[in-house]
Each structure stands twice: as structure tokens, then as C-alpha cells.
Amino acid sequence: MYFLPEKLDDYVVAHSQDEPKLLQQLTRETYQKILQPIMLSGPYQGRVLSMISKLIRPKSVLELGTFTGYATLCLAEGLHPEGEIHTIDVNEELEDFQRSYFDKSGYGTQIHQHLGSAIDILPTLDKTFDLVFIDADKPNYVNYFHLIIDKLNPGGIILSDNVLWHGKVIEPVDPKDVSTNAVLEFNTLLKNDKRIETVLLPIRDGLTISRKL
């Protein structure tokens, strides 16, 4: 996931905004109690998400893939005072864990959790969004895009995580590797869809910013 030399990567992190204490606590508890803690966005990418959200000042945010709520809280830092986040995850075992940190953050009343498949939940959300963060199961990334694009306000932003997929996007691909092939298809879709303009950033495992025209 790290494409810069380690010393240069350390320098980048050291000269970026520090991770808030609540998120440090969330990280520690995730590593202590939750399986696959590597799924956390992490302090550097978290500061990137926070900065983007602060630049946009969204009134409505959609997140696909909550995990323990780290990225959710980073995105909440830029919320308009009257803004809200709708975050979707399939893991019911994490719902109370997420909520405990949402409420500690001061953004608790602005964050709405949805439990279940995003494929099923998205059509039921009668809302439009200024900012969307996709960080869920890779095989459904293309499906998520098609369900989201008409709910995205003009000028709205889609952030898509893991678009370099551990570097596998430039390696020979096994036809049976569903996730890698899905990421490749998704990246091509973002590049070619005329409704958006896109730039892929080599941040951690790859983060794409797409803006609706």
C-alpha cells in the first residue's frame, strides 16, 4: 500500500496535520478488538479526507463502508453546521462500536447509520449528496457508481478508495481475481464517463477524486 520510500513517506506524514486524539483512541481500540484493523483509513489518509471535506463544506455526505467509523469522523470534520452523513455497512457487530465514537465526537446527531447491503439501501435513500466516499466491497464498485451518480449534486465529489489495489492494477491479472478485475473496470469507468471529471491520486492504496459536471 506504500509506494513512496519509507523515509520519504515518514516525512510526508510528519509534515501533515496531526491525528486528533479521539481518532488515535479509535485506532488503538480497533487494533485491540476488531478483526482486520488494516481496513482503517489511517492517520494520513484521514487528514486528506478531512481536508477535502473542509474544502467542500458538504451539507450531505454518503459513505459506503463504515468499518469502525474512522473515515466517517474525518469526513464529519468538514460538515456544514446543518450537514449530515449517511453511512452504510453490512456488519451489525460493529454498529454499537461505531456509535460510541460518533457520540464522543460531537457529530453524533449528524451521523446516520444504515445496516445492510448498500445495493439494497441506496435506492431507498430519497436524498442527494455533495460528497460520497466509496470504501466497501470492490466487486460492487461499478454498481455503486451507477446507483450514486444520479444522487450526486452538480459539482459534487465522489472519493473512491483502494483504486490502486496494492499495485495489482498494473500486474498481469488472473481472470478469476474478481476484486482486481472489478477495480480495473471501475477505474476505466471513472476515466471515460462523461458526467464526471476524474483524477487518481497515489495516496496510500490509491484515492480517486471524481467531480460531477
Side-chain angles (χ1 to χ4, degrees), residues 15 21 28 39-40 69 75 77 89 91 94 97 107-108 119 122 127 129 136 139 148 150 164 168 190 194 197 201 207:
H15 289 80
K21 290 184 179 180
R28 285 194 300 271
M39 291 173 62
L40 278 173
L75 295 168
E77 292 176 27
D89 202 277
N91 192 341
L94 294 177
F97 185 100
Y107 301 108
I119 295 293
L122 283 171
K127 300 178 180 297
F129 298 96
I148 288 166
D150 289 336
L164 293 180
K168 292 182 180 181
L190 295 186
K194 302 303 182 184
E197 54 187 1
L201 304 177
L207 180 71

Side-chain angles (χ1 to χ4, degrees), residues 83-124:
E84 60 180 12
I85 295 179
H86 290 265
T87 184
I88 304 173
D89 202 277
V90 296
N91 192 341
E92 62 182 326
E93 295 180 359
L94 294 177
E95 192 171 21
D96 290 341
F97 185 100
Q98 298 159 5
R99 177 49 58 186
S100 69
Y101 276 91
F102 294 162
D103 289 342
K104 289 177 187 177
S105 72
Y107 301 108
T109 60
Q110 295 172 275
I111 300 174
H112 308 284
Q113 295 160 282
H114 301 269
L115 180 63
S117 166
I119 295 293
D120 297 328
I121 292 171
L122 283 171
T124 71

Side-chain angles (χ1 to χ4, degrees), residues 18-37:
D18 293 335
E19 181 183 34
K21 290 184 179 180
L22 180 64
L23 293 180
Q24 293 177 20
Q25 180 184 343
L26 172 54
T27 297
R28 285 194 300 271
E29 192 169 357
T30 298
Y31 272 85
Q32 290 168 354
K33 299 180 179 179
I34 308 299
L35 293 175
Q36 295 182 299

Side-chain angles (χ1 to χ4, degrees), residues 56 62 67 83 122 147 151 173:
I56 297 170
L62 172 66
F67 191 46
L122 283 171
L147 288 169
K151 295 180 180 293
V173 183

Side-chain angles (χ1 to χ4, degrees), residues 12-20 43-44 47 50-51 54 77:
V12 169
V13 172
H15 289 80
S16 298
Q17 184 188 26
D18 293 335
E19 181 183 34
Y44 176 66
R47 294 305 85 206
S50 170
M51 181 65 76
K54 287 172 181 175
E77 292 176 27

Side-chain angles (χ1 to χ4, degrees), residues 38-204:
I38 193 65
M39 291 173 62
L40 278 173
S41 289
Y44 176 66
Q45 183 169 321
R47 294 305 85 206
V48 173
L49 296 177
S50 170
M51 181 65 76
I52 292 171
S53 184
K54 287 172 181 175
L55 291 169
I56 297 170
R57 298 295 285 168
K59 286 189 174 181
S60 52
V61 177
L62 172 66
E63 180 185 38
L64 307 186
T66 317
F67 191 46
T68 56
Y70 189 102
T72 321
L73 292 176
C74 294
L75 295 168
E77 292 176 27
L79 271 179
H80 185 279
E82 298 176 1
E84 60 180 12
I85 295 179
H86 290 265
T87 184
I88 304 173
D89 202 277
V90 296
N91 192 341
E92 62 182 326
E93 295 180 359
L94 294 177
E95 192 171 21
D96 290 341
F97 185 100
Q98 298 159 5
R99 177 49 58 186
S100 69
Y101 276 91
F102 294 162
D103 289 342
K104 289 177 187 177
S105 72
Y107 301 108
T109 60
Q110 295 172 275
I111 300 174
H112 308 284
Q113 295 160 282
H114 301 269
L115 180 63
S117 166
I119 295 293
D120 297 328
I121 292 171
L122 283 171
T124 71
L125 295 179
D126 187 20
K127 300 178 180 297
T128 60
F129 298 96
D130 301 315
L131 177 61
V132 176
F133 182 45
I134 305 177
D135 187 18
D137 57 310
K138 310 313 165 210
N140 271 314
Y141 264 35
V142 169
N143 294 328
Y144 295 148
F145 176 84
H146 290 306
L147 288 169
I148 288 166
I149 189 63
D150 289 336
K151 295 180 180 293
L152 189 65
N153 293 322
I157 299 295
I158 299 175
L159 303 175
S160 307
D161 199 17
N162 304 117
V163 290
L164 293 180
W165 202 229
H166 317 299
K168 292 182 180 181
V169 291
I170 58 170
E171 296 175 356
V173 183
D174 182 344
K176 297 180 182 179
D177 185 345
V178 175
S179 292
T180 301
N181 281 289
V183 172
L184 288 167
E185 181 184 359
F186 180 71
N187 289 343
T188 300
L189 171 63
L190 295 186
K191 168 66 175 177
N192 294 331
D193 194 293
K194 302 303 182 184
R195 293 169 290 183
I196 57 174
E197 54 187 1
T198 289
V199 60
L200 195 162
L201 304 177
I203 294 173
R204 288 300 187 259

